[in-house]
């Protein structure tokens, strides 16, 4: 597939600190990539560089094949295919939902004959048609988040950067946002997501990039990252008790749960022990992240 976004050898220094030190990633057209890293790893700097708010000291950023590491007219024009959803809500609280969308649509260069159609689409897409004439400062957190996303995609970007798009929202609103993102992908938009929700990255993204100390620590699908780091063995945890009620827990790594679990249970029965609790845990993105960085995502 064609590359929607590619970053190679990204380096950026602030004073004596290298915020980026050779970071790389590739997002395919229509793809969904999660960008993860502990605090201070360089995620924010990388996102800002893609959006044109920071210029790299070295390296290359291309959007649909065009170089955008700069602030000249050509780079700004090439960046017109980009949408950015910031973590901080970027809405005008005194304006209605419709007025907010009209304002952001105009800022993104939509002509008047396009604007009404796109605003009506956005209100339906976010489930806010019935609230279109209400001020956004009266909306719930989830409603404001949905409106914030819509304001960034009115111009139909080919690549969308999403910085913590579900932070602070309830589970129902979070699910609605996931559904909205799925619709964008169906229309061909490539998505780059930064999140502190590892389950979100694991469920939504096709590919994952983990950066640490300004470098790309790993890149691939979840199964590829698991194989490269912690291995694909499944952890089986069995708690048993003997006739006296004394309990014992054993943890065993297995290659094939279906083939090996019956023998483990048979061993417990042969020892006269009753199984009290059984847990089967496959390797997760959390275990991969800890292996690569030595930290939890929020540290």
């Amino acid at each position: 597939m064609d590359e929607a976004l590619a970053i190679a050898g990204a380096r950026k220094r602030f004073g004596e600190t290298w915020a980026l030190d050779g970071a790389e990633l590739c997002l395919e057209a229509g793809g969904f990539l999660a960008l993860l890293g502990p605090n201070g790893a360089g995620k924010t700097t990388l996102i800002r560089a893609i959006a044109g708010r920071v210029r790299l000291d070295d390296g290359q950023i291309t959007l649909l094949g065009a170089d955008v590491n700069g602030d000249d007219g050509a780079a700004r024009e090439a960046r017109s295919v980009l949408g950015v959803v910031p973590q901080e809500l970027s809405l005008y609280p005194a304006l209605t939902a419709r007025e907010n969308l009209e304002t952001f649509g105009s800022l993104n260069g939509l002509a008047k004959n396009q604007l009404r159609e796109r605003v009506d689409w956005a209100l339906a897409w976010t489930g806010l048609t019935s609230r279109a004439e209400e001020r956004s400062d009266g909306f719930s957190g989830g409603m404001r988040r949905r409106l914030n996303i819509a304001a960034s995609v009115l111009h139909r970007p080919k690549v969308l950067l999403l910085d913590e798009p579900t932070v602070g929202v309830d589970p129902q609103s979070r699910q609605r946002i996931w559904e909205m993102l799925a619709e964008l992908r169906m229309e061909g938009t490539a998505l780059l997501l930064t999140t502190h929700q590892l389950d979100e990255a694991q469920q939504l993204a096709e590919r994952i990039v983990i950066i640490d100390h300004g470098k790309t620590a790993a890149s691939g699908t979840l199964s590829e990252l698991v194989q490269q780091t912690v291995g694909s063995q499944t952890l089986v945890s069995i708690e048993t008790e003997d006739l006296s009620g004394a309990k014992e827990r054993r943890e065993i790594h297995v290659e094939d749960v279906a083939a090996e679990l019956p023998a483990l249970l048979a061993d417990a029965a042969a020892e006269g022990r009753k199984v009290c609790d059984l847990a089967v845990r496959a390797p997760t993105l959390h275990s991969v992240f800890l292996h690569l960085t030595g930290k939890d995502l929020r540290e």
Side-chain angles (χ1 to χ4, degrees):
M1 294 180 67
D2 294 334
E3 294 178 346
L5 168 66
I7 300 174
R11 305 185 82 225
K12 179 64 182 178
R13 185 171 66 180
F14 296 103
E16 298 301 313
T17 302
W18 285 99
L20 294 172
D21 194 12
E24 300 188 350
L25 65 79
C26 177
L27 172 61
E28 294 179 340
F32 198 151
L33 180 71
L35 175 64
L36 308 177
N39 289 336
K43 299 188 306 296
T44 299
T45 302
L46 192 58
I47 292 296
R48 292 178 66 196
I50 298 168
R53 296 168 188 166
V54 166
R55 185 166 185 174
L56 298 178
D57 296 323
D58 194 16
Q60 187 177 42
I61 302 173
T62 58
L63 280 167
L64 303 184
D67 186 1
V68 296
N69 183 34
D71 55 7
D72 57 12
R76 288 193 294 272
E77 176 63 25
R79 223 178 275 117
S80 65
V81 302
L82 184 68
V84 181
V85 179
Q87 181 176 345
E88 300 79 16
L89 291 171
S90 299
L91 298 171
Y92 295 99
L95 297 184
T96 67
R98 183 180 297 278
E99 288 167 343
N100 265 288
L101 292 170
E102 289 173 344
T103 299
F104 283 100
S106 297
L107 291 172
N108 279 313
L110 291 182
K112 286 186 177 181
N113 62 336
Q114 297 175 294
L115 191 56
R116 183 175 183 84
E117 180 270 326
R118 290 300 291 167
V119 168
D120 287 342
W121 166 84
L123 289 168
W125 181 58
T126 55
L128 294 174
T129 300
S130 64
R131 311 291 292 273
E133 312 310 326
E134 296 181 27
R135 285 172 45 140
S136 63
D137 58 2
F139 287 175
S140 68
M143 292 166 65
R144 288 197 296 270
R145 284 283 167 197
R146 300 199 308 265
L147 186 61
N148 200 51
I149 295 171
S152 301
V153 300
L154 288 165
H155 61 302
R156 291 187 173 94
K158 296 296 184 183
V159 180
L160 182 63
L161 308 182
L162 299 130
D163 189 5
E164 300 278 356
T166 61
V167 66
V169 304
D170 60 87
Q172 184 177 5
S173 294
R174 191 180 183 207
Q175 181 62 39
R176 174 67 183 182
I177 290 171
W178 289 2
E179 292 169 358
M180 289 166 56
L181 298 182
E183 290 182 37
L184 286 179
R185 285 200 64 203
M186 289 178 63
E187 295 178 0
T189 303
L191 307 178
L192 176 60
L193 169 74
T194 69
T195 180
H196 278 94
Q197 305 287 341
L198 284 172
D199 66 316
E200 191 167 67
Q202 185 166 329
Q203 290 182 48
L204 297 180
E206 291 175 323
R207 299 184 64 80
I208 299 161
V209 170
I210 298 175
I211 66 171
D212 195 21
H213 301 294
K215 300 180 174 68
T216 299
S219 176
T221 65
L222 177 59
S223 61
E224 288 170 346
L225 294 181
V226 166
Q227 197 65 46
Q228 294 166 17
T229 56
V230 296
S232 59
Q233 287 189 330
T234 299
L235 178 65
V236 176
S237 178
I238 303 176
E239 184 178 277
T240 61
E241 67 177 15
D242 60 21
L243 295 176
S244 69
K247 292 186 177 181
E248 177 184 272
R249 180 172 289 276
R250 298 178 185 176
E251 293 189 339
I252 308 101
H253 286 90
V254 301
E255 294 286 350
D256 187 332
V257 175
E260 299 179 54
L261 183 57
L264 296 175
L265 298 177
D267 288 345
E271 295 171 5
R273 305 188 67 88
K274 180 177 71 173
V275 175
C276 305
D277 184 59
L278 174 67
V280 178
R281 294 193 295 273
T284 65
L285 182 55
H286 182 259
S287 57
V288 170
F289 192 88
L290 279 175
H291 179 90
L292 289 168
T293 70
K295 303 175 183 177
D296 277 317
L297 192 56
R298 293 187 178 275
E299 288 184 20

